[in-house]
Amino acid sequence: LYSTEIMAFVLTTSGWILESSTVSMDFWKVSSNDGSVITTSTFWANLWKHCVTDSTGISNCRDFPSMLALDGYIQACRGLMIAAICLGLFGSVFALVGMKCTKIGGSDKNKARIACFAGVDFILCGICSLSACSLYAHRITTEFFDPMFMSQKYELGAALFIGWAGGILCILGGSVFCFSVADSFSRRLVSATYNSSSSRVQHFDKNAYV
């Protein structure tokens, strides 16, 4: 059981770190203008700014305007990613308290409840990250395949794949936390049933001798 919880903690923490790094990464979407020999410029954007990098490696960036003037999908992605980071932070704290290999959290029953809550927390964290990246990717692909869209067309950036990977790791680790707690409760129930049956048999034997 210890190894299962440690594996779940490693998975969820790794996923949370990937999600946290995704928020500030540059390449959420990317597009290139190719010259006759080399790429002349690369356009890219994330949740906070638009940039263009020329062939010499110099980047010119423009921050997004006021939040109230942003497109709705960017605001939604920001909110979902920030929610994912906060949920992952709280989930990490609850996981440390609820794991059986730590000395805090009270009784085993109380620690199991805390670990289960941490698992649910991480599952929600992963869902938020997957939703944000999928929403952003859907906007990119919709514009890319729209023949009536005449502005700059972009492709999926590396940050989206990292965000998806982080969300999947959080969901997997959170599920392991929940299943490990359920397995612990089932073992405890079986043990209690066995002890009760044994005590009844012993009591019956004593009465038979009497």
Side-chain angles (χ1 to χ4, degrees), residues 72-87:
Y73 79 98
I74 295 181
Q75 296 185 28
C77 291
R78 284 183 178 182
L80 287 169
M81 291 305 298
I82 292 173
I85 293 175
C86 294
L87 288 170

Side-chain angles (χ1 to χ4, degrees), residues 52-134:
V52 57
T53 304
D54 59 24
S55 57
T56 62
I58 298 176
S59 298
N60 293 312
C61 296
R62 176 175 60 86
D63 292 334
F64 288 136
S66 170
M67 186 177 69
L68 298 178
L70 281 176
D71 292 332
Y73 79 98
I74 295 181
Q75 296 185 28
C77 291
R78 284 183 178 182
L80 287 169
M81 291 305 298
I82 292 173
I85 293 175
C86 294
L87 288 170
L89 176 61
F90 291 127
S92 299
V93 175
F94 288 129
L96 284 174
V97 174
M99 292 172 65
K100 293 185 179 298
C101 58
T102 59
K103 301 298 183 182
I104 54 178
S107 63
D108 288 344
K109 186 176 181 180
N110 190 41
K111 288 173 74 69
R113 290 175 178 173
I114 296 174
C116 183
F117 182 78
V120 174
D121 206 348
F122 276 118
I123 291 174
L124 293 176
C125 169
I127 291 174
C128 286
S129 179
L130 289 177
S131 300
C133 294
S134 298

Side-chain angles (χ1 to χ4, degrees), residues 171-185:
I171 291 175
L172 289 177
S175 300
V176 172
F177 266 124
C178 293
F179 285 128
S180 66
V181 172
D183 182 63
S184 176
F185 275 122

